[in-house]
Amino acid sequence: MEAATKQSVTNQLLTVKSASGKTYSQLAEETGLTNVYVAQLLRRQAQLKPDTVPKLREALPALSDELIAAMMSPPWRSYDPNLIQEPTVYRLNEAVMHFGESIKEIINEDFGDGIMSAIDFYCSVDKVKGVDGYNRVVVTLDGKYLSHSEQDGEYGLKAKP
């Protein structure tokens, strides 16, 4: 999907969401998805699956058949490189960069040599009250662990069982 088409569809989807008066968290509650995944769907960063269509149609009845069809096609996952300049995105990036090395070491200690998947992945944003009474943001990154494999020189040359 070319960038202009993706942006046009995204604008239409966000207009439907805005007209509904619902938040991403409300839509998540109604669809059984995470709030971040709902946002990813409406921003064309995730593909709408057939089983989710009825729940999303019920939550956002103004979605046209054309928009649903567009959402069901594989998305062109991309981002605007200028997005890093947005303060919230900048701070999230800063937090990952600051804590990343420690997080990586803990993953390796607890799981072994591997990584956290961003494909088999759940993400949500929650609002909680801190012990000091102030609002706090909780960002949950929940990814499947993937261990690195040893690269056998015979891989791909052997007959598959």
Side-chain angles (χ1 to χ4, degrees):
M1 174 181 282
E2 66 182 65
T5 303
K6 177 181 176 179
Q7 190 59 54
S8 173
V9 170
T10 299
N11 289 344
Q12 292 173 63
L13 291 168
L14 294 177
T15 297
V16 168
K17 178 207 175 271
S18 179
S20 78
K22 296 177 182 178
T23 66
Y24 288 116
S25 293
Q26 289 169 324
L27 293 169
E29 185 74 28
E30 292 179 34
T31 59
L33 303 170
T34 67
N35 52 8
V36 174
Y37 195 78
V38 171
Q40 290 289 89
L41 284 171
L42 297 179
R43 294 195 158 278
R44 290 296 294 127
Q45 292 290 89
Q47 182 179 16
L48 179 62
K49 305 298 184 198
D51 291 347
T52 305
V53 172
K55 294 180 256 184
L56 192 60
R57 276 193 188 276
E58 188 173 330
L60 292 171
L63 285 174
S64 68
D65 290 340
E66 293 78 20
L67 286 175
I68 292 289
M71 294 175 78
M72 292 183 74
S73 67
W76 184 262
R77 291 173 177 91
S78 60
Y79 65 93
D80 178 348
N82 293 319
L83 185 59
I84 193 66
Q85 296 176 19
E86 199 288 322
T88 301
V89 174
Y90 178 85
R91 289 293 179 222
L92 285 168
N93 185 63
E94 180 183 46
V96 170
M97 296 305 290
H98 180 75
F99 292 98
E101 190 172 16
S102 298
I103 293 168
K104 179 246 187 283
E105 286 183 17
I106 293 167
I107 289 171
N108 291 157
E109 281 183 353
D110 290 353
F111 294 91
D113 183 22
I115 62 170
M116 178 180 69
S117 173
I119 302 295
D120 189 342
F121 186 83
Y122 298 89
C123 182
S124 64
V125 176
D126 296 291
K127 179 180 175 181
V128 299
K129 285 280 185 204
V131 294
D132 57 5
Y134 289 105
N135 289 330
R136 300 193 60 84
V137 178
V138 177
V139 178
T140 301
L141 306 176
D142 178 347
K144 178 181 179 181
Y145 171 74
L146 303 172
S147 70
H148 287 288
S149 58
E150 185 174 50
Q151 303 220 358
D152 183 341
E154 296 295 317
Y155 180 79
L157 301 177
K158 298 177 188 171
K160 304 284 185 210

